Amino acid sequence: MTTDDTGRLAENLSRELRHIVMLLRRTTAGQPVTAQQYSVLGSLEDGARRMTELAEEHGVQLPTMSVQVNRLEEAGLVARGTDASDARVRTVELTGEGRDRLRAVRQARIAYLSGRLDALTAEERSAIARALPALAKLGRS
């Protein structure tokens, strides 16, 4: 594959991923928690995280992440704490309500996406399944 081919592939992949993300965001439209805030909740699924880690992961400045976390805390979806190794460091973790809300949104997105996948041919679904390992590798590199 040439550099031009790789560039075109990257452009096409970027466009299609944007469409898929927008499609999934429709499942949470009209809810009091934004898609970005659900993304933050997802980042907390495996346990408490430092505010600085969250900001870096989401590509925002610390004050922007603080605003998001404040809103999630006011909604009872996250709780703040301190790092056991350094009391100056602020952490954030999911509350039970936050975990329940995240689970419900995931289920809604999966159901919505399942319906869209059902409309594809078996061959198209198979092609997506074969592409998943490469997409996962892209997303974690």
Side-chain angles (χ1 to χ4, degrees):
M1 183 171 274
T2 68
T3 302
D4 286 346
D5 292 339
T6 302
R8 276 193 293 281
L9 177 60
E11 181 180 349
N12 291 336
L13 179 61
S14 177
R15 182 182 54 249
E16 297 312 322
L17 288 175
R18 179 183 173 280
H19 290 301
I20 290 170
V21 167
M22 297 301 286
L23 179 97
L24 292 175
R25 284 184 177 174
R26 289 183 202 147
T27 62
T28 58
Q31 294 188 16
V33 177
T34 67
Q36 178 64 33
Q37 289 167 337
Y38 279 120
S39 182
V40 172
L41 293 178
S43 295
L44 298 171
E45 190 170 26
D46 292 330
R49 303 277 303 277
R50 292 175 174 216
M51 290 287 292
T52 52
E53 290 174 341
L54 287 173
E56 184 178 313
E57 180 179 329
H58 290 269
V60 299
Q61 298 295 317
L62 188 56
T64 301
M65 183 54 64
S66 292
V67 168
Q68 295 294 335
V69 169
N70 287 343
R71 290 180 179 152
L72 291 168
E73 186 176 34
E74 289 168 7
L77 304 177
V78 301
R80 292 180 193 258
T82 55
D83 190 300
S85 64
D86 186 346
R88 298 170 296 173
V89 175
R90 301 292 292 171
T91 60
V92 183
E93 64 183 333
L94 284 175
T95 62
E97 173 67 22
R99 195 168 298 283
D100 291 345
R101 183 83 61 94
L102 181 60
R103 188 177 306 114
V105 166
R106 282 229 176 99
Q107 289 171 346
R109 286 179 175 175
I110 289 167
Y112 185 76
L113 196 51
S114 291
R116 300 296 295 239
L117 287 168
D118 282 341
L120 300 178
T121 66
E123 191 174 289
E124 289 167 328
R125 286 191 304 274
S126 181
I128 292 170
R130 285 192 309 275
L132 286 176
L135 291 171
K137 188 175 180 179
L138 275 177
R140 289 170 177 77
S141 57

